[in-house]
Amino acid sequence: MNRKKSFALALLLTLALFIVLPTAAFAADAATTPEVAEIEAGSATVTGKSFGSGIAIGIAAAGGALAMGIAVGKSAESMSRQPEASGEIRSAMMLGLVFIETAIIYALLAVILIIFVL
């Protein structure tokens, strides 16, 4: 496994750890006494939704930003190699950027639904 893949895997596991630990702590606190569990159940759910939603939109935005950067870089490189095809390359790049941005907006809509509806 190369260095980039192992770094990405370590980052993903670290993010998963930061998601699981607060949830486990809320569950342990809520299980101590029934009265406290009834009062804090709502706040633990809202906090869990907030953490999950923030991490979800952060991953979507970071993935989209990386994809857009790669797409623009590759298209600029190909335009410099073939200047006569720059119009076609530019239009294909713009279409790809629109699709990437649409995926990020769908992730934002899903996060808004999680926060306000569920």
Side-chain angles (χ1 to χ4, degrees):
M1 198 183 320
N2 62 14
R3 184 174 278 176
K4 286 183 181 180
K5 286 184 181 178
S6 52
F7 178 73
L9 182 64
L11 183 65
L12 184 67
L13 290 175
T14 305
L15 286 174
L17 185 67
F18 282 120
I19 293 170
V20 171
L21 284 179
T23 308
F26 285 127
D29 288 342
T32 56
T33 59
E35 298 85 18
V36 174
E38 289 177 11
I39 295 170
E40 292 182 355
S43 65
T45 304
V46 171
T47 307
K49 283 183 189 180
S50 301
F51 280 137
S53 299
I55 290 172
I57 196 62
I59 291 172
L66 286 173
M68 286 181 179
I70 291 170
V72 170
K74 295 289 183 176
S75 65
E77 182 180 322
S78 63
M79 279 190 268
S80 67
R81 267 193 253 130
Q82 291 182 329
E84 66 274 1
S86 65
E88 295 174 11
I89 294 169
R90 186 178 297 118
S91 62
M93 177 196 65
M94 293 304 286
L95 186 63
L97 291 178
V98 166
F99 288 142
I100 294 168
E101 190 66 32
T102 303
I104 297 168
I105 291 171
Y106 284 151
L108 177 66
L109 289 175
V111 165
I112 289 172
L113 286 174
I114 288 171
I115 291 173
F116 292 113
V117 174
L118 298 179

